Each structure stands twice: as structure tokens, then as C-alpha cells.
Amino acid sequence: MNELITLVAGVLDVPAETVDENTGTATAAEWSSLRHVQIIGTVERTYGVRLSPREARACRSVGALRDTLRTRGVAV
């Protein structure tokens, strides 16, 4: 299982098998505004990056998170 998917699933408290690149605010009821903040914080700690407020707001799905991390040079 992919580490980013496992991370998001853990924060959302859902099985990792139910999370994919499209999982996000529009597709997962569990991805609330509070969980979004928790996901961003966990991603920052796990990957050693600091996302700008604009980047954090734009990361509204696993795929968007992955793209943002890649632009920061993080291999995910």
C-alpha cells in the first residue's frame, strides 16, 4: 500500500483499500475541514515539508496532495 494513501486513511479513520487518488473533500464525507487540517499537518511532519496556506487549500484530494509533494521534490 502506498504510504500517502495509508497516511490519509489513518487520519480519516477508514480502511486504506477505500482510499485512492480521487479521495478528497468532494468524494469522502470523512474528509471534513478539521480532518483536512489534520491531513496537512500529518503530511508536513511525515515528509518534512511546510506547505503554504495556498498549497494547503489546494490539496483537496490524495492526487492533489501527491502532485504538490512532487513539486516540492518529495518522492511519493
Side-chain angles (χ1 to χ4, degrees):
M1 188 62 52
N2 179 278
E3 182 182 28
L4 183 60
I5 287 177
T6 302
L7 181 150
V8 171
V11 173
L12 297 179
D13 196 27
V14 299
E17 299 79 33
T18 65
V19 178
D20 62 22
E21 295 296 304
N22 297 314
T23 301
T25 58
T27 61
E30 297 85 4
W31 194 315
S32 65
S33 57
L34 174 60
R35 293 285 171 96
H36 183 77
V37 171
Q38 292 171 329
I39 289 168
I40 297 300
T42 303
V43 164
E44 288 178 332
R45 283 189 303 279
T46 301
Y47 295 105
V49 296
R50 180 81 171 138
L51 301 181
S52 71
R54 176 175 278 169
E55 288 172 319
R57 282 190 305 272
C59 291
R60 301 181 66 82
S61 70
V62 172
L65 273 168
R66 188 178 311 283
D67 291 344
T68 298
L69 289 170
R70 284 182 178 152
T71 65
R72 293 300 204 85
V74 178
V76 287

